Amino acid sequence: MARYVKVAAAQMGPNNEGTSREEIVERMVALLEQAVVEGVEILAYPEMALTTYFPKRVRDDFDQFFETEMPPKALAPLLQRARDARIACHVGFCEKDQGRYFNTALLTDETGHLAGTFRKIHLPGTKQPDGHAQVYEPHFFESGDSGYRVFDGPGTRVGIAICQDRRFPESYRSLGLLGAEIVLIGYNTPLSPLALDLNELCLRAGAYQNNLFVVGIAKAGVEDGMELIGGSCIVNPMGQVVAKAATTGDELVAARIDLDQMVPARKRWDFLGRRHPEHYGLLTQATRKGAGGR
């Protein structure tokens, strides 16, 4: 028996520095209105949806980009409209909690209640320029302390990862083992050779190797002089892209998916059940943290 749910990536064009939260949220609400017309049930916005991607350079005036309330007050119009429309809503933003700084995403359910939050675990780049890193998230954020978590969505179980987390197979595997059927991943990724290809490769591999759905949500376009990739897409449990952005601006990428498509895939491949963790001890040993991209 089919279990259908309509999901959408609300890709956003650039948020140039100096743009007000109110103006940005107006654009987000416009995408939500499109989702309402299309019958979307789960709508996901990118990482750092409320601000510019400020970790592109080292700076000290970064408090202005952080939200101190949960959920952020700036999101009130969006989350109210989502509640009225009975749409579950995922949004990435920068969180300041008792003097600690995190790259965070929240998920509300279709009733408007806060289902939960996730704090980004894998931070790309370095604290200071080293001649290799494109970005400097460790200068601004702590590695997330929430752990991988799965939340109840409309008739499904939803996991969250953020940007660099998508490049680590452990993210998808952890969420799959926790029962996720859909994984939402927002990102802000600078353009570089193969950036779009590598982004899609990560999303498709994570979906196939855990036989679940993955929704990648980009902030895209030229933002404060840095070009961010688009490529927002929805991937099925066999790693096939079923919907993909055609632009690098504000764009709704939606698909009606059948959650029961996971059943034959999991019966055939059984990647979760055929694991041999007794041989994986090396994966849990601590390692040094090095520079990384997005």
Side-chain angles (χ1 to χ4, degrees):
M1 182 177 178
R3 288 191 299 139
Y4 289 111
V5 61
K6 192 156 190 181
V7 299
Q11 176 173 289
M12 296 178 65
N15 292 341
N16 289 303
E17 188 164 347
T19 306
S20 69
R21 303 283 205 281
E22 291 78 12
E23 184 177 341
I24 292 169
V25 171
E26 284 181 8
R27 288 169 46 213
M28 296 172 74
V29 171
L31 286 165
L32 173 58
E33 295 299 347
Q34 294 180 40
V36 172
V37 172
E38 294 198 24
V40 169
E41 297 164 85
I42 301 174
L43 179 63
Y45 293 89
E47 175 191 35
M48 295 192 198
L50 289 173
T51 63
T52 188
Y53 181 68
F54 62 89
K56 63 174 69 68
R57 62 183 175 88
V58 174
R59 56 193 295 175
D60 296 325
D61 60 340
F62 55 86
D63 255 48
Q64 62 182 302
F65 301 114
F66 284 79
E67 312 301 322
T68 58
E69 299 169 301
M70 185 64 70
K73 184 178 180 180
L75 287 175
L78 177 76
L79 298 182
Q80 177 65 53
R81 181 67 182 105
R83 184 180 72 177
D84 293 344
R86 294 191 63 80
I87 293 176
C89 193
H90 160 284
V91 185
F93 60 96
C94 302
E95 175 195 8
K96 183 179 180 180
D97 179 22
Q98 298 182 4
R100 303 176 69 194
Y101 296 85
F102 298 101
N103 188 333
T104 299
L106 63 77
L107 178 70
T108 59
D109 64 20
E110 65 271 30
T111 71
H113 289 100
L114 182 64
T117 62
F118 169 78
R119 290 169 168 169
K120 183 176 180 177
I121 293 172
H122 301 94
L123 301 178
T126 56
K127 288 188 176 182
Q128 298 293 333
D130 66 351
H132 299 282
Q134 275 187 298
V135 298
Y136 307 99
E137 287 197 28
H139 182 85
F140 304 100
F141 303 105
E142 293 184 38
S143 180
D145 60 358
S146 62
Y148 292 107
R149 304 174 64 194
V150 173
F151 310 101
D152 289 327
T156 187
R157 296 279 286 162
V158 179
I160 298 173
I162 300 175
C163 195
Q164 182 81 339
D165 294 326
R166 78 192 187 278
R167 303 191 190 276
F168 289 78
E170 294 86 354
S171 299
Y172 307 92
R173 181 53 47 89
S174 297
L175 292 168
L177 289 171
L178 288 169
E181 297 176 308
I182 301 172
V183 176
L184 308 176
I185 307 176
Y187 56 92
N188 287 204
T189 298
L191 183 66
S192 63
L194 298 179
L196 273 168
D197 287 344
L198 293 175
N199 171 66
E200 191 171 299
L201 174 66
C202 293
L203 300 176
R204 294 179 65 183
Y208 166 65
Q209 290 175 344
N210 298 279
N211 298 136
L212 44 71
F213 289 91
V214 173
V215 181
I217 319 101
K219 175 121 67 63
V222 179
E223 184 181 83
D224 296 323
M226 173 180 277
E227 186 168 358
L228 303 173
I229 65 170
S232 299
C233 61
I234 299 170
V235 185
N236 73 15
M238 291 300 290
Q240 298 171 298
V241 176
V242 297
K244 186 174 180 178
T247 73
T248 54
D250 292 2
E251 181 180 352
L252 191 73
V253 181
R256 184 172 180 254
I257 61 175
D258 178 7
L259 297 170
D260 280 344
Q261 191 178 4
M262 293 183 295
V263 175
R266 289 188 171 184
K267 285 185 176 179
R268 177 181 178 184
W269 299 106
D270 195 17
F271 291 129
L272 302 182
R274 291 175 180 162
R275 294 175 306 114
H276 284 276
E278 67 271 19
H279 298 297
Y280 305 157
L282 184 63
L283 300 181
T284 62
Q285 293 180 16
T287 186
R288 70 174 185 86
K289 293 184 177 180
R294 290 183 60 75

